Amino acid sequence: MKVFNTLTRKKEEFISIKPKEVNMYVCGPTVYNYFHIGNGRTFIVFDTVRRYLEYRGYKVNFIQNFTDIDDKMIKKANEEGITVKELGDRFIDEYYKDADALNIERATVNPRATEFIDEIVQFVKDLIDKGYAYEVDGDVYFETKKFDEYGKLSGQNLEDLQAGARINVDERKKDPMDFAIWKKQKPGEPAWESPWGMGRPGWHIECSCMAYKLLGETIDIHAGGYDLIFPHHENEIAQSECRTGKTFAKYWMHSAFLNVNNEKMSKSLNNFFTARDILAKYAPDVVRLFMLSGHYRTQLNFSEDLLESTKAGLERIYNAIGNLENLLDEIKEENLKENEKDYVKHIDEYRDKYIEKMDDDFNTADAIAVIFDMVRDINTNITIDSSKELVKYSLDLIRELGNPLGILQNSVKENLDEEMEKIIEQRQQARKEKNWALADKIRDDLKDRGIVLEDTPQGVRWKKIN
Ligand code: AMP
Ligand code: ZN
């Protein structure tokens, strides 16, 4: 299996530190608002990476943090007249609602920065003791020039960075590239006790610290959106590697942006759609299929037209799933027939192709194309004359290949059952109220969809006729 490593700028063979186990850390959201679908792309991409690793037999320890203390959190809490903690609690709840709806698997742990203050203080202390950080009047800075390899992730060297840096905005820093790992309390800000007085952690240190606490000194994969390469991940590497003297993460993965009119979707540009807005209009499978229809390292442009065509494509697959489900009900022949054995081998080749694509740096775009080809093949070759075993095998295979992408797990039949139950109830109610016009309309609408209702002694039944 190959993974593109931002650190080496190469696709590398993926070899986990422990056999069949992966420790993975993904930078999560700052919880001051609903997340937008640009953030959503990153969450879906790394959820897919995780699911695929699991599909390939790895146990994945998946950590994604919540940044619940920073300038944006403080500002928003002040605007709303609530505490930073209350704001965090609220938007963590909202995060789970949207992430669950998008079929994003729950992380092994979602640590909150404010729950690791003691550990962060210890981390900062260690960096000072080792001579990598210094305190000035309640603030603590990391001294970048003490770390020879600073810039290795983003492919820059310190001199260039220093030259490009604006005039030192903070006169107290030894170098403009030094960054805060502990921030002195300003009036009215939440703060915690520390050897340097009341203050709060910087953003970068929280991830270094929580990754270390929850996953150990060297982790397999560290991931996040492309915008985090510099300075966030560069700074995480500097802090972590100076503290432990070990490699912080073996593989660095970054997902490209979701754009709107070729600009990054972001809150500050006000060109965003929340996940919630989009989920009100499109099923989670549509959103995921859209996000995964491009390679994760390629920028993706958002538009409703693209979502509409994704929806139409997905419907073709679900129609096939619905047909297979119906066939399972109708076919009598149970066991695989002799002449079907070759067909099983034939569709197994789609699985091999899918794995080949996904093993190549999670090429979901090509893997999805394989699923479409397979579904077309199944659709033309499986009929009422097939055996139940073959139908079930095909249906299971579609679901098997959909699962790492977090799609195709719904049952058309169950959904229809639920929907029909509601419709039949509405019709019964209409009849009870002697609203014959409505009752007839419901019956006619169903007829248009190829569904007929039958009054039986056991109550109203529905049947799909083709
Ligand atoms: P934030 O809450 O802004 O810190 O972002 C949370 C995660 O979403 C980070 O990994 C970001 O890199 C990522 N992200 C933010 N905007 C976008 C975007 N337009 N496309 C893809 N990922 C994004
Ligand atoms: Zn982070």
Side-chain angles (χ1 to χ4, degrees):
M1 190 164 159
K2 291 211 154 52
V3 175
F4 183 88
N5 190 351
T6 308
L7 190 62
T8 57
R9 284 163 269 285
K10 278 202 290 269
K11 260 191 221 171
E12 290 175 24
E13 192 58 34
F14 180 73
I15 301 162
S16 57
I17 298 163
K18 281 193 225 153
K20 288 288 149 199
E21 193 167 335
V22 175
N23 282 341
M24 180 167 179
Y25 187 99
V26 180
C27 292
T30 306
V31 283
Y32 69 111
N33 219 324
Y34 299 99
F35 69 82
H36 62 68
I37 54 166
N39 308 128
R41 177 179 191 196
T42 295
F43 305 148
I44 289 170
V45 160
F46 294 113
D47 177 57
T48 302
V49 167
R50 177 221 191 146
R51 284 164 172 271
Y52 185 69
L53 288 167
E54 285 170 348
Y55 177 68
R56 297 294 268 136
Y58 292 97
K59 175 179 183 286
V60 182
N61 302 309
F62 188 94
I63 309 297
Q64 183 180 286
N65 67 302
F66 289 126
T67 296
D68 64 348
I69 177 76
D70 80 342
D71 291 342
K72 287 180 282 193
M73 293 287 299
I74 294 170
K75 183 165 174 276
K76 181 81 185 294
N78 284 340
E79 281 165 14
E80 305 244 317
I82 55 176
T83 63
V84 169
K85 164 96 173 60
E86 284 165 340
L87 182 72
D89 288 348
R90 173 167 169 221
F91 283 106
I92 285 172
D93 272 358
E94 304 292 358
Y95 167 85
Y96 284 126
K97 281 185 207 157
D98 293 334
D100 289 349
L102 281 169
N103 208 11
I104 291 170
E105 275 182 16
R106 292 272 178 130
T108 315
V109 184
N110 286 125
R112 291 176 68 154
T114 57
E115 287 170 356
F116 283 79
I117 300 291
D118 289 349
E119 288 85 352
I120 292 173
V121 166
Q122 188 57 50
F123 206 115
V124 174
K125 250 197 218 159
D126 288 352
L127 286 172
I128 295 177
D129 291 348
K130 290 185 176 209
Y132 292 109
Y134 56 94
E135 186 228 348
V136 200
D137 184 29
D139 287 314
V140 181
Y141 294 101
F142 184 90
E143 195 171 352
T144 41
K145 74 168 188 301
K146 291 271 173 80
F147 181 50
D148 290 343
E149 296 173 75
Y150 192 79
K152 67 177 172 179
L153 182 70
S154 51
Q156 311 174 80
N157 66 43
L158 194 55
E159 288 82 62
D160 292 345
L161 284 166
Q162 283 164 332
R166 274 171 287 164
I167 319 290
N168 204 351
V169 271
D170 187 344
E171 289 292 322
R172 302 164 318 150
K173 288 202 286 188
K174 293 187 187 172
D175 186 286
M177 293 314 294
D178 293 353
F179 57 91
I181 53 180
W182 186 262
K183 296 179 169 181
K184 183 183 176 171
Q185 181 182 28
K186 295 198 188 98
E189 283 185 356
W192 291 263
E193 270 174 39
S194 80
W196 320 284
M198 295 299 284
R200 62 182 164 97
W203 172 36
H204 317 301
I205 196 89
E206 73 174 84
C207 290
S208 278
C209 180
M210 294 189 290
Y212 167 73
K213 274 286 152 191
L214 297 166
L215 297 172
E217 289 182 334
T218 303
I219 63 179
D220 292 289
I221 300 175
H222 197 313
Y226 192 79
D227 53 334
L228 300 188
I229 296 175
F230 188 86
H232 186 52
H233 288 162
E234 197 75 73
N235 291 350
E236 280 191 45
I237 292 179
Q239 299 160 152
S240 293
E241 298 195 351
C242 286
R243 177 163 183 252
T244 64
K246 308 250 169 63
T247 300
F248 178 36
K250 264 184 95 176
Y251 304 93
W252 285 86
M253 293 182 71
H254 294 96
S255 60
F257 295 144
L258 182 70
N259 290 340
V260 180
N261 298 325
N262 301 314
E263 264 185 320
K264 178 193 174 196
M265 181 180 288
S266 70
K267 285 187 183 124
S268 53
L269 291 173
N270 206 25
N271 61 353
F272 66 92
F273 295 90
T274 62
R276 199 156 293 191
D277 290 341
I278 294 300
L279 284 167
K281 285 169 92 176
Y282 295 95
D285 274 37
V286 176
V287 182
R288 288 190 73 117
L289 185 62
F290 166 70
M291 297 289 188
L292 299 173
S293 63
H295 189 270
Y296 76 90
R297 286 189 289 112
T298 311
Q299 299 195 9
L300 190 64
N301 217 35
F302 172 83
S303 79
E304 292 227 12
D305 283 351
L306 282 173
L307 274 178
E308 284 298 329
S309 61
T310 305
K311 185 178 164 195
L314 187 72
E315 260 163 28
R316 288 207 301 280
I317 304 185
Y318 269 112
N319 279 340
I321 289 178
N323 287 340
L324 294 171
E325 286 177 327
N326 286 340
L327 285 176
L328 275 184
D329 272 355
E330 291 162 18
I331 292 172
K332 298 279 176 303
E333 179 79 43
E334 287 287 339
N335 298 324
L336 197 71
K337 300 182 209 171
E338 203 47 44
N339 64 358
E340 290 176 337
K341 289 189 176 151
D342 278 348
Y343 190 68
V344 169
K345 275 197 208 132
H346 168 67
I347 54 172
D348 277 347
E349 286 169 11
Y350 287 107
R351 180 197 283 114
D352 299 339
K353 266 190 226 158
Y354 169 94
I355 290 176
E356 192 189 300
K357 301 298 182 192
M358 289 294 281
D359 272 4
D360 181 15
D361 192 29
F362 308 93
N363 191 340
T364 53
D366 285 2
I368 287 168
V370 173
I371 296 181
F372 272 99
D373 288 346
M374 178 178 81
V375 168
R376 207 173 303 122
D377 193 327
I378 288 172
N379 233 357
T380 40
N381 286 293
I382 297 211
T383 67
I384 190 81
D385 298 321
S386 308
S387 67
K388 257 191 184 173
E389 198 175 328
L390 182 63
V391 176
K392 184 150 187 329
Y393 191 85
S394 312
L395 191 53
D396 288 348
L397 186 56
I398 297 174
R399 295 206 201 283
E400 179 189 319
L401 304 192
N403 193 39
L405 309 175
I407 58 174
L408 306 182
Q409 304 305 299
N410 300 328
S411 158
V412 177
K413 201 161 127 48
E414 272 170 31
N415 283 353
L416 194 61
D417 276 347
E418 267 174 40
E419 190 197 354
M420 286 307 299
E421 211 170 286
K422 280 189 205 132
I423 292 177
I424 290 173
E425 213 175 273
Q426 277 169 12
R427 180 167 163 271
Q428 294 301 82
Q429 189 60 31
R431 290 170 116 195
K432 219 157 73 205
E433 290 162 5
K434 300 206 178 344
N435 186 348
W436 308 118
L438 180 60
D440 287 348
K441 185 177 181 310
I442 290 173
R443 184 186 278 264
D444 292 344
D445 287 350
L446 288 175
K447 215 168 169 184
D448 290 343
R449 291 170 58 185
I451 295 169
V452 289
L453 297 182
E454 287 170 348
D455 292 298
T456 74
Q458 290 82 33
V460 184
R461 289 282 145 89
W462 64 275
K463 204 166 76 183
K464 199 154 172 38
I465 46 161
N466 286 313

